[in-house]
Amino acid sequence: MKKQKVIILDNEQQNKQDFDTIHELQEGLQRIDQFPVYSPNLQWFEQMVIQEQQTKRKKLFRDLSVFFMIALIILSGMIITLYQMPVIFILVQIITTLFIVVYTSVRLIKKANQI
């Protein structure tokens, strides 16, 4: 770290420097105030809100449709397997349960080792 030189100013010089700084700040603020400010009317904002709500509603409907279709396929497959091949159904249930337990355990161990 460099040592900075400190210049001690007398009171008159300090007051003049403060006055100049305040004057520059006021001039800068006046220039900023001269810029035109455009703010859209209320109808534009309302239209944007309506568009966003419609977009979200469409996305929600699409996502729910995909979810229900996949759930229907999975449940149909499970029910068919249960009635046609109960041994395979039981094996799938056991394998799924073991996979969840092992996966969760591995994730928890990795997380504990990171700490």
Side-chain angles (χ1 to χ4, degrees):
M1 185 179 261
K2 292 182 178 179
K3 290 186 178 179
Q4 295 180 353
K5 294 183 179 178
V6 178
I7 300 173
I8 300 174
L9 300 174
D10 63 357
N11 200 18
E12 187 177 309
Q13 285 179 328
Q14 185 68 36
N15 287 341
K16 183 179 182 323
Q17 207 173 29
D18 289 345
F19 180 74
D20 290 342
T21 304
I22 290 170
H23 184 68
E24 287 178 25
L25 284 172
Q26 286 175 343
E27 284 180 359
L29 289 174
Q30 286 175 357
R31 276 188 256 140
I32 288 175
D33 286 341
Q34 291 174 358
F35 285 113
V37 176
Y38 171 72
S39 60
N41 59 7
L42 182 61
Q43 292 174 348
W44 183 82
F45 285 110
E46 289 174 347
Q47 186 64 30
M48 290 295 290
V49 168
I50 290 171
Q51 270 184 327
E52 190 64 30
Q53 286 176 341
Q54 289 173 348
T55 305
K56 286 188 178 195
R57 194 171 292 127
K58 285 179 184 177
K59 186 178 178 190
L60 176 66
F61 181 73
R62 187 191 74 223
D63 290 345
L64 285 175
S65 299
V66 169
F67 174 76
F68 285 128
M69 293 300 285
I70 292 173
L72 181 66
I73 291 169
I74 291 172
L75 288 176
S76 298
M78 294 303 288
I79 291 172
I80 289 171
T81 306
L82 174 64
Y83 287 115
Q84 298 297 323
M85 300 171 270
V87 174
I88 294 177
F89 177 79
I90 293 170
L91 284 174
V92 168
Q93 296 299 315
I94 292 171
I95 292 170
T96 304
T97 305
L98 289 175
F99 174 77
I100 291 172
V101 169
V102 170
Y103 180 77
T104 305
S105 299
V106 169
R107 296 283 294 191
L108 288 174
I109 290 170
K110 282 184 181 179
K111 194 172 188 177
N113 289 338
Q114 287 178 354
I115 295 174

